Amino acid sequence: MPIRKRGALALLLGTALVATVTTGCGTTSENADGKAEPKPCGGAGGKYTIGVSQANVAEPYRERMDADIRQAATAVPQFTVHFADAQQDNSKQVEQVENFITQQVDLLIISPNEASPLTSVVKKAYERGIPVLVLDRKVNGDAYTSFIGADNFDIGRRAGEFVAQTLLPGGGRVAELKGLAGSSPAKERSDGFRLGIGGKAIEVVASADGDWLRDRGRQQADALLKGTPGVQVVYAHNDPMGEGAYLAAQDAGLSGIQIVGIDGLPIEAGGIKAVEAGRLAATFVYPTGGKEAVDSARKILVDCQQVPKVQGLAIERVTKDNAAEVYARLNAGG
């Protein structure tokens, strides 16, 4: 039985609201050609089901993203949220999104495992009139309502500048642990890093895919450090892989290697505490966007408002000098 009830009033408002579909206001229905037609916004008196399609919950970052969505949604009595974990399996995530479409959820929040394999099903949901909020990782094209996330290219650039200015001002050798190859942040964080170290005597002498996972990052770092002498800095695309690199360096007796990560989760097992403890030289806070996604869902479904096509989130560098303050502030909701 469909979750969403589609009112006949859509037929009266269809033509007038076509333009608003592309910017995410209101719910929609389909016409005979399979293209989306707008549905009237139910407003504060409605009840809405949201499907959350998560790439995986093996990463602490994604576990925190789901927790942020869950917590923010508790403040919206009109919302019921269903979560699906794709476990880093593109086919499974496509199937889960298809199920959300069949169930006629009122809004889809998705963090795609990889861009290309998920693009078609996200487009399908969007064209069926379901507002789609894409979190953190992108899809190809623009068939979605809004992208919410920080600038991965810029965060990579800032990581590169930190390495060039602080860790290796006289030049040096870097190994890079990348995220999942087909995910948009992996490419953007890598490209941005190279811009950040541009013009300096710094060489990325080795790189490998750590798939965003600590154990995989540790395994890959072990091979990189043993096979590439002289590495002074490891740039990891996220903190768990950075922690894996730290363990690999310890195992190899390479205590002088410095490690830079990304995520900066304000939890005991997160990157900020790793900076405080000296395991990471720095990390960069990359907000999950969970709260912002729920805020956008409320604007679309409850307040009947449009949301921007791109919603950028702030980046913050964390070193030992400010780690304690950032940790306290983020946990205080500041």
Side-chain angles (χ1 to χ4, degrees), residues 94-321:
V94 169
E95 181 181 350
Q96 290 170 342
V97 174
E98 291 276 12
N99 286 337
F100 282 141
I101 295 171
T102 300
Q103 293 167 8
Q104 299 180 20
V105 294
D106 295 289
L107 183 140
L108 173 67
I109 298 172
I110 181 169
S111 193
N113 187 50
E114 293 184 274
S116 294
L118 271 300
T119 293
S120 292
V121 77
V122 166
K123 185 172 185 282
K124 179 178 179 179
Y126 182 67
E127 291 185 342
R128 293 290 177 89
I130 298 173
V132 180
L133 304 177
V134 180
L135 271 185
D136 169 43
R137 298 181 185 177
K138 298 174 182 173
V139 292
N140 300 326
D142 60 358
Y144 54 84
T145 304
S146 182
F147 170 77
I148 302 172
D151 187 330
N152 279 297
F153 183 88
D154 192 49
I155 210 168
R157 178 186 62 79
R158 292 182 60 175
E161 290 177 348
F162 175 76
V163 170
Q165 296 168 5
T166 305
L167 301 183
L168 298 174
R173 295 161 65 84
V174 175
E176 181 181 24
L177 281 176
K178 299 180 177 180
L180 190 66
S183 59
S184 57
K187 183 178 188 315
E188 292 167 356
R189 291 179 184 184
S190 185
D191 291 347
F193 183 81
R194 280 158 175 76
L195 179 65
I197 61 173
K200 309 294 182 183
I202 296 173
E203 183 181 4
V204 179
V205 295
S207 65
D209 295 339
D211 298 343
W212 305 113
L213 302 175
R214 192 183 79 157
D215 289 348
R216 178 65 173 159
R218 181 177 184 175
Q219 180 184 45
Q220 294 286 49
D222 180 70
L224 290 179
L225 295 176
K226 289 179 178 175
T228 313
V231 170
Q232 297 159 283
V233 170
V234 174
Y235 166 49
H237 287 190
N238 73 358
D239 294 333
M241 293 192 297
E243 291 267 35
Y246 173 82
L247 294 172
Q250 292 294 304
D251 290 344
L254 301 171
S255 58
I257 292 179
Q258 301 196 75
I259 300 165
V260 175
I262 292 173
D263 280 352
L265 283 182
I267 60 176
E268 282 294 326
I272 297 176
K273 284 294 184 183
V275 171
E276 271 195 273
R279 298 191 298 276
L280 301 181
T283 186
F284 292 79
V285 175
Y286 188 90
T288 68
K291 178 182 179 302
E292 290 79 4
V294 174
D295 288 345
S296 292
R298 177 162 47 189
K299 287 179 181 175
I300 294 168
L301 298 174
V302 178
D303 300 334
C304 304
Q305 297 178 1
Q306 298 181 14
V307 296
K309 190 72 177 182
V310 177
Q311 301 184 62
L313 304 177
I315 297 166
E316 184 169 10
R317 188 178 77 183
V318 179
T319 65
K320 204 156 190 173
D321 291 340

Side-chain angles (χ1 to χ4, degrees), residues 63-83:
E63 192 175 11
R64 177 61 181 248
M65 181 187 287
D66 281 2
D68 289 346
I69 291 170
R70 190 174 290 109
Q71 181 177 358
T74 60
V76 187
Q78 294 92 342
F79 286 174
T80 298
V81 184
H82 296 293
F83 292 84

